[in-house]
Structure formats: C-alpha cells, structure tokens
Amino acid sequence: MKKLLDILTEEVAGAFEKAGYDSSRARVSVSNRPDLCEYQCNGAMALAKVAGKAPFMIAEDVVKCMEDSKIFKDIEVVKPGFINLNVNEEFLASYLLDMGKDDMLGVDKVSSPKNIVIDFGGANVAKPLHVGHLRSAVIGESIKRICRFMGNNVIGDAHLGDWGLQMGLITVELEERKPELPYFDENFEGEYPTEPPFTISELGEIYPCANTKSKEDEDFKEKARKATLEIQNGRRGYRALWKHILNVSLPDLKKNYDNLGVSFDFWGKESDAHEIIPDMVKYLKDGGYTTVSEGALVVEVKEDTDKKEIPPCMILKSNGATLYNTTDLATIVSRMKDNNADHIIYVVDNRQDLYFETVFRCARKTKIVKEDTELTFLGFGTMNGPDGKPFKTRDGGVMRLDNLVNEINEAVYAKIMENRETSSEEAKQTAKVIGLAALKYGDLSNQASKDYVFDINKFISFEGNTGPYILYTIVRIKSILSKYADSLNSSVDNIGLEGYEILSAKSACEKNLEMTLAKFNEVIVNAYEELAPHKICAYIYELSDNFNKFYHETKILSEEDESRKKSYIALINLVKATLEKSIFLLGFEAPDRM
C-alpha cells in the first residue's frame, strides 16, 4: 500500500507536469506551519530560475491543474510561491479503510527479502545477566521483530561467551575447593559424572569469588589463564567440567531472557568457532592477507584515506593463542556458510565501535563476506542512574537484571494496589505486563546510540511519554469496544471493519487522529531502514495522545447517529490494531485491564 506522502506527492507531480514544469521538484512534505496547512510543496521556488518565472506564478499554474483534485480539499498559493495543502477528509477515510483491511496495516513487505543475522546476546556463561545486558537484549529483540515483519528471513543469535577467562577462573577455583573431583586428575580414564558438581546458585557464588581472587593474586590469575587455554585445547577433564557449566547456566539464562520477552533462534557460542579457526587461518595465510607484526599474525586494514589511527586486525597472538577478533571472524565465516547472510547486525556497546570497524574491514579485505553483504555495528549508549553515571545498586555494585525487573514490577504493583480495587494475584500479573512495557519503552524511546537516565518513577508513570501510558490507551479502547459489543449482545471479536465504514472526519481532533494513523506504514519502513525502534515509540506516543484528545472531545458510545457511531468504532478499532502491532514490534504487549 502506498504511503500517504507518496500519494500526495504523485498528485502534485501530475499537476506540475500538466502545467509544463519539471515534476521532480513536486515533493510534498508535512507542513512546518500546521496552523496554516497540513502539507506543503515548495517546488515552485526551486523552478523559478530555470523557468524564468516568478515562483508565485509557477505555483498558481500548478494549483489551477489541481482544481478537480479528490485528494486535496484546500489548495492555496502563498507568497513568494509556497503551495499550502489540506487533505480531503473523504479520501483520508478511504485510505484508512484500505489500511484496516490489510493484515500488514498498509506496510508493504520488502521486494527482495534478505537473510539477516542479528547478534544481540553476548551474555557470558556462568555469570548472571546484569543491567549491562539490558540494552542489547531489548534493542536486538525489537530490531529482530521489525526486520521479520518486513518479510526478511531473520536469525537472532545469542552468541554466548563460553570460551573466555571466566571458564578458567571457575575451573581453578573449583579445583582448590574440591581437588578430589575426577575432572582434575589428568590420569583419570573413566566416565565423568553426569550430574554437575554445583548448582546454579553455587556457580553464581563461585565465579565472583574467583574473579575477586584473580585481581588480588597474580598466581591464581595465571593458573586461570593456563586452565582457559587447556579448555580450548581440549583437556578432557576440563572440557567435561566446561560442559557442566554450560548445562547449568543455559536454563537460567533462558529463563531470564524469557522474563524480558526476548528469544533467540540460535543459541550460538564463542566456542562454536573453535573448529573453524584452523582452516580460516590457513585461508588467510594462503591468500597472502596476513603479515607478522612483533610475532603476532595480523591483517593490515588501515587505508590511505583514514584520518584516524586504525590498528591491524590481530588473528593470532605471538604465542599462537586466539583472540576475540579470531572468533568473531570465524563466526562470520560460519554465518556466511550456514545462513548465506546478506546482512549481519551487531547490537553492542558504543565503546566497541573501533573494534568492529577493524573486524568488518578484515572480513571485507579477505573476502570472507560477499561483496554486497552488509555488516552493521548498531552501537548503544549507557543506561545511567539519576547521578548520570552507569546504573549501579545502592551499595555501588552492578545490579542483576532479574533484580531490576523485580524492582520495577514491585513499583508498578504498589501503584496498581494504591489506585485500583483488584485482587492481589491479578495485580501481580498485570504489574509484570506493565513493568515490562515500562522497562522496554523507557529504553527504546531513546535513540539507541544515546545514553539515558533510568528513572523508575518516570518510567512507570501512567501519564506522559511512557510505556504504561501507551498500554492505558490500548486498554481504554478495549473497554469502549467491549461496552459497544455488549450493547449489541455480541463479542468484541466480531467487531472489525467488516460492515463498518469510516466516514469523513467532522472535527479537527478526529482528522488529526486519522492523519496520524495514516503515517503508520511510513514510520515502520523508516524504523526498519534506519534500525531505529525509537521512531516507533515516538509515533505511538503521538497516536495515543491524539486518540485521547479525540476521546475527551467526542461522545463515542452516546453518539445518536448510528452510522457515525459505527464509524467511530471502526476508527478506534484501527487505532487499537495499530498500537498493538507497534508494541509487538517493540517487544511487549498490553493487558486486558489496568
């Protein structure tokens, strides 16, 4: 379905052409003076010199060719040559009716679907998720849903960290605590126990303890480094212990991601790249892409046009050990082979910008990716506390993500119980839905690359630009539709656009609501092209605001004209569908009651 702006531009372009002028100048835009008009075209100004005519005269010629337009109601020329335009209400109502009959609500899927891999997990195995994991999970989930909605084949990859120093730290700490376990006996040849030697809660205590030791005891840290290398090199007992760590950690990670409404299509791990690395290194050497620098194997990626220092991409350390660069490149090799990736998106911290630039350059220079494969670094800013510094617990530590979720749910629950008469159990379930919306909307409403302040009181407010306000709007519409259905002795499910017609708007607030609704496809396509969920947030806040103004100024259910009442019902039903589709793309849902 064509975007409204495109239809308006085509109408004006036809008039430019009919009047004998260059139609490429006939771009229509939203008016920067909404008090004067809804849309405007400034093309006559640009044509004045070429046409040898005053802009006002050109604009008048164009307007004469639109006298019979069914798309525009009011068309006016304003000196020195602006064309002010207002949309015809009947045309607008017809556009919305078509939108409502389309499962995609007027959004056209991409003509050439892509294979897109989104790397947005990055959690480390054996460590609980903390607030630092929030943004990658929330932003990545929304990007995944938007790309899939547009018709692409999308794979969300958790890409867990299971191959780093934390595994060595846990191994060495466990060996000090329980040296009798068979995993530490290099001469042990039997079968290792199927049950892990620790629970998830014990593992949650072992790692922080080991990590603290490593900062205070260099010998302990060196043992951990050695153990990490032995895990990677396949030491039998250590590998068996490593598998236990994975098996215990994964269910807990999945549970925490589930609580965030985040899911992955592939639970990839750093270790998956291990078997790929030798062949990749051989390919890089044989292709003449590598050089040796201070004993390390590197690929030079600096270009003559660079104005900043770009380090080489290191493939192997001087001792032959691999790095993150190595595993990330090998993972790209895997994604090209297994997924035939057209686009790989990394949702990671802004501070990794330079690192990914070197990896991407290396992947392109060495032809690991196709020429037309897109590699996108979607960096995000920091979630800060009220003091403007990275968010911490009251005692200054890094807050666990499940504690943050619980804290926001409890705050919403207290608010519900304070203002509503409802059972405690229902309030708790509703609080989870609203809390998740508050948390996700609070994050996503900010441009991903920007830092933002986590303000729990602001985020859970039922007024203003917040998730609960959006949900409250949806619930309000549900309530109206339910009452209307009851008056017909029918079900809300039977109230769609079948048999309903949207009439021409008869008030300014009604038309304003319709104009906002009609922008949905434009907003979604723009959010997809720019990988920008915050644009959907801005849109649904505007739509919710305009609906609530319409609601307060319009007697919907008490309207005496039955055809007008049915038109109102069709209109707000479309608002509900649009809001529900939008919040799904953002990664949350609305309750039935609030």
Side-chain angles (χ1 to χ4, degrees), residues 64-75:
K64 282 177 186 175
C65 295
M66 287 194 288
E67 288 176 349
D68 298 327
S69 174
K70 293 181 180 178
I71 291 177
F72 295 110
K73 179 182 69 169
D74 301 317
I75 308 172

Side-chain angles (χ1 to χ4, degrees), residues 3-37:
K3 298 171 192 170
L4 181 61
L5 258 180
D6 290 344
I7 294 174
L8 304 185
T9 296
E10 283 178 10
E11 180 80 353
V12 176
F16 266 73
E17 201 168 304
K18 192 174 177 182
Y21 299 111
D22 180 6
S23 63
S24 67
R25 302 287 188 174
R27 188 175 67 84
V28 172
S29 59
V30 175
S31 173
N32 55 17
R33 286 289 306 275
D35 56 317
L36 298 179
C37 60

Side-chain angles (χ1 to χ4, degrees), residues 235-250:
R235 177 168 163 175
R236 187 167 168 265
Y238 283 9
R239 277 288 183 94
L241 194 58
W242 167 75
K243 286 178 182 175
H244 282 315
I245 296 171
L246 285 178
N247 292 336
V248 168
S249 297
L250 278 174

Side-chain angles (χ1 to χ4, degrees), residues 551-568:
Y551 168 79
H552 287 299
E553 293 183 26
T554 310
K555 296 178 179 178
I556 298 173
L557 294 178
S558 59
E559 171 61 51
E560 294 180 0
D561 183 335
E562 198 59 37
S563 62
R564 177 61 60 178
K565 184 194 292 187
K566 288 184 72 173
S567 174
Y568 290 157

Side-chain angles (χ1 to χ4, degrees), residues 89-110:
E89 286 85 355
E90 191 175 335
F91 160 74
L92 183 59
S94 173
Y95 184 86
L96 292 181
L97 200 60
D98 289 341
M99 173 182 165
K101 291 175 181 176
D102 179 18
D103 290 340
M104 295 281 288
L105 296 177
V107 179
D108 289 334
K109 292 188 177 184
V110 292

Side-chain angles (χ1 to χ4, degrees), residues 363-488:
R364 293 203 180 284
K365 181 175 181 177
T366 60
K367 297 181 173 58
I368 283 174
V369 295
K370 299 177 290 187
E371 272 190 34
D372 58 351
T373 298
E374 295 177 74
L375 298 170
T376 299
F377 170 80
L378 186 60
F380 55 79
T382 307
M383 184 179 94
N384 294 325
D387 59 358
K389 296 177 182 178
F391 193 86
K392 301 283 186 182
T393 57
R394 287 185 180 86
D395 60 6
V398 178
M399 180 176 276
R400 286 176 56 127
L401 195 48
D402 53 356
N403 289 342
L404 180 69
V405 172
N406 289 338
E407 187 174 308
I408 203 163
N409 288 349
E410 286 169 8
V412 174
Y413 171 75
K415 199 160 193 170
I416 293 172
M417 295 305 289
E418 183 182 300
N419 300 313
R420 300 282 185 277
E421 290 184 9
T422 184
S423 71
S424 176
E425 190 53 41
E426 183 184 355
K428 284 178 182 177
Q429 293 306 313
T430 303
K432 284 183 180 179
V433 177
I434 299 173
L436 186 61
L439 187 64
K440 286 194 166 187
Y441 190 91
D443 188 297
L444 292 171
S445 57
N446 298 277
Q447 187 174 337
S449 61
K450 306 292 185 185
D451 297 346
Y452 76 92
V453 173
F454 181 86
D455 185 337
I456 194 167
N457 292 323
K458 175 187 173 185
F459 286 4
I460 66 171
S461 173
F462 284 59
E463 298 175 354
N465 189 11
T466 68
Y469 175 68
I470 306 300
L471 298 193
Y472 186 71
T473 302
I474 296 172
V475 170
R476 170 174 272 170
I477 297 172
K478 285 183 177 181
S479 175
I480 297 169
L481 294 175
S482 180
K483 289 175 183 175
Y484 179 73
D486 288 346
S487 72
L488 301 176

Side-chain angles (χ1 to χ4, degrees), residues 143-178:
I143 296 294
K144 181 188 76 176
R145 293 183 183 206
I146 293 167
C147 290
R148 189 169 285 159
F149 179 68
M150 292 300 297
N152 298 289
N153 174 38
V154 185
I155 294 172
D157 186 356
H159 197 64
L160 302 173
D162 68 330
W163 215 228
L165 182 62
Q166 84 268 21
M167 308 308 267
L169 288 169
I170 293 167
T171 301
V172 172
E173 175 64 20
L174 199 62
E175 186 169 7
E176 287 194 358
R177 295 185 183 195
K178 300 180 179 181

